[in-house]
Amino acid sequence: MTVPDSSAFGPVGPEDPAGPEGRAVPAAPEGRTDPADRGGRTGSDDPAGSDDLTGPDNRADSDNRAERTERTGSHDSAAPGPTFAAGPANPVGPANPAGSGGPVRIDGPWTHRDVAANGARFHIAELGEGPLVLLLHGFPQFWWTWRHQLTALADAGFRAVAMDLRGVGGSDRTPRGYDPANLALDITGVIRSLGEPDAALVGHDLGGYLAWTAAVMRPKLVRRLVVSSMPHPRRWRSSMLSDFAQSRAGSYVWGFQRPWVPERQLVADDAALVGRLIREWAGPRTPDFPDDATVDVYRRAMCIPSTAHCSIEPYRWMVRSLARPDGIQFNRRMKLPVRVPTLHLHGSLDPAIRTRSAAGSGEYVEAPYRWRLFDGLGHFPHEEDPVGFSTELISWLKDPEPDR
């Protein structure tokens, strides 16, 4: 296997004697228990991390029903979880596009609150009433990437909920639990914590990878599946290992395997690399995306302590587990077909995930499957063309009999 150049995450100056950003993990506050001590999954470097894919949807059933409402503006949410220090006080750049809610709880027509699931606390933004649609963000973003779809789905008669994945945005930053099986249980646990019998999952990038996983592991909780800019996990694995063009396009994943350096690069110069990645991965058809204000929001969110480390951990697991028992078992379990109607969306000029890599995912779906290619768009079709993306999404969700 040829590993492409990952210079985007090369060394960035002298070693920091204090260690990598986000590596220090203080003890859990009194009254809280680490998910690993409650029977949850272990971290990305533990071979036993995700062997058991048959456990309950939620490791802490009593927590699953608990909800602690925190309205926008009620407090400074720069502290995303109880296990780490608060985020930076100063915004990136001269303006503060996040409004009064801090770098994560950005003002809007939605409501912010926290829900407990799978032994951790997750921040969500929700809007509307009706069937639940759960939106899952990718890297290097957080819930705010779905701001356009939140309003569009609510207007169309859905209960739209965008969650921050474990370790990102306003959700808990736990020391372990970043393997895809455990992250998928986070998602299904949030569905139950919201009091819903099931949900339509909409995932982008890493969120799409986890949406595929959740649909295989807990099909009864997934009503429909929508994936954007991410192939099926088995397809992603084979493409990264056997397709040099995809391996080179995903060189950032290889760069993430080094200790310490990627975290420090992501937050260097007020997370300038985050803005660079978003700009480079966007397609040429929409020169107005991303604008400076949008980039500033994502840069500020990445600068919250420990976010960079937690954002990278799932990608480290994906590579480091390739030859380990937990990774082999996960790949074997993902042979189970997806048996829920699936809509697969992709930008034709996505430089991070090639169209050829994503297009073969239909072979893993034994249900109505629809492939939709957005001409001229890049890695972020839901932000590059929010109207077109939302129209396609809502039309498919409302279709009572989606065909192949």
Side-chain angles (χ1 to χ4, degrees):
M1 177 181 67
T2 303
V3 178
D5 175 37
S6 56
S7 57
F9 291 91
V12 288
E15 290 293 324
D16 183 358
E21 184 277 332
R23 300 292 291 184
V25 181
E30 184 178 356
R32 291 190 61 88
T33 306
D34 185 275
D37 298 331
R38 301 175 62 173
R41 307 198 185 280
T42 56
S44 61
D45 290 330
D46 187 345
S50 60
D51 286 347
D52 180 17
L53 302 186
T54 60
D57 282 326
N58 192 309
R59 299 287 179 179
D61 290 337
S62 60
D63 284 347
N64 236 1
R65 306 303 180 191
E67 297 180 355
R68 178 160 54 88
T69 302
E70 297 181 1
R71 302 296 178 182
T72 302
S74 61
H75 68 284
D76 185 359
S77 63
T83 57
F84 289 92
N90 296 325
V92 174
N96 180 5
S100 62
V104 172
R105 297 176 186 254
I106 300 174
D107 295 338
W110 40 74
T111 298
H112 295 280
R113 62 184 174 125
D114 297 325
V115 297
N118 199 25
R121 177 182 59 85
F122 298 92
H123 165 253
I124 65 170
E126 61 180 332
L127 182 65
E129 297 181 356
L132 176 62
V133 179
L134 186 59
L135 304 157
L136 312 171
H137 66 83
F139 173 86
Q141 300 172 309
F142 64 111
W143 76 267
W144 192 69
T145 190
W146 297 111
R147 60 198 179 278
H148 304 294
Q149 285 69 44
L150 280 171
T151 55
L153 287 166
D155 291 342
F158 293 95
R159 181 187 183 188
V161 176
M163 68 175 286
D164 282 327
L165 299 178
R166 182 183 294 255
V168 179
S171 296
D172 276 353
R173 284 142 176 77
T174 59
R176 302 187 184 96
Y178 295 94
D179 57 280
N182 192 61
L183 293 173
L185 292 180
D186 291 345
I187 294 166
T188 56
V190 166
I191 294 173
R192 290 194 164 183
S193 289
L194 292 173
E196 299 285 352
D198 55 33
L201 291 185
V202 182
H204 170 256
D205 188 76
L206 177 61
Y209 190 101
L210 301 179
W212 284 115
T213 305
V216 170
M217 291 176 55
R218 298 291 183 266
K220 292 183 179 180
L221 294 179
V222 181
R223 184 174 68 253
R224 293 198 182 188
L225 175 66
V226 182
V227 177
S228 174
S229 308
M230 177 57 66
H232 186 276
R234 287 182 61 87
R235 180 69 179 174
W236 180 90
R237 182 181 187 273
S238 63
S239 296
M240 288 291 287
L241 293 178
S242 61
D243 185 346
F244 178 77
Q246 178 56 62
S247 187
R248 181 175 57 188
S251 61
Y252 63 97
V253 176
W254 306 116
F256 284 162
Q257 305 312 308
R258 294 171 297 171
W260 305 355
V261 172
E263 286 94 334
R264 296 167 59 192
Q265 284 212 322
L266 277 175
V267 298
D269 299 325
D270 294 326
L273 182 55
V274 170
R276 172 185 160 190
L277 291 175
I278 293 176
R279 287 189 171 98
E280 290 181 352
W281 290 349
R285 201 185 92 179
T286 53
D288 295 335
F289 174 84
D291 56 25
D292 291 341
T294 298
V295 169
D296 284 349
V297 171
Y298 292 124
R299 290 173 63 186
R300 294 177 68 228
M302 185 62 71
C303 286
I304 298 174
S306 304
T307 299
H309 172 70
C310 296
S311 297
I312 290 172
E313 282 293 271
Y315 294 98
R316 285 179 171 148
W317 186 95
M318 291 178 190
V319 173
R320 296 178 185 181
S321 68
L322 287 174
R324 293 189 329 210
D326 58 331
I328 294 173
Q329 182 170 2
F330 173 77
N331 189 55
R332 183 169 64 248
R333 294 294 179 90
M334 291 307 293
K335 287 183 179 179
L336 294 173
V338 175
R339 292 191 170 94
V340 297
T342 302
L343 173 65
H344 201 173
L345 307 171
H346 204 81
S348 65
L349 300 179
D350 188 338
I353 302 293
R354 303 180 71 236
T355 302
R356 185 171 67 179
S357 300
S361 300
E363 64 180 288
Y364 299 103
V365 181
E366 290 186 358
Y369 174 83
R370 183 180 299 178
W371 166 263
R372 170 73 162 88
L373 192 65
F374 291 98
D375 185 43
L377 299 186
H379 190 62
F380 310 99
H382 59 296
E383 290 191 271
E384 296 176 49
D385 184 9
V387 174
F389 185 97
S390 298
T391 300
E392 184 75 24
L393 171 63
I394 293 170
S395 174
W396 184 81
L397 289 175
K398 288 189 171 184
D399 188 348
E401 298 181 357
D403 55 338
R404 288 186 179 271

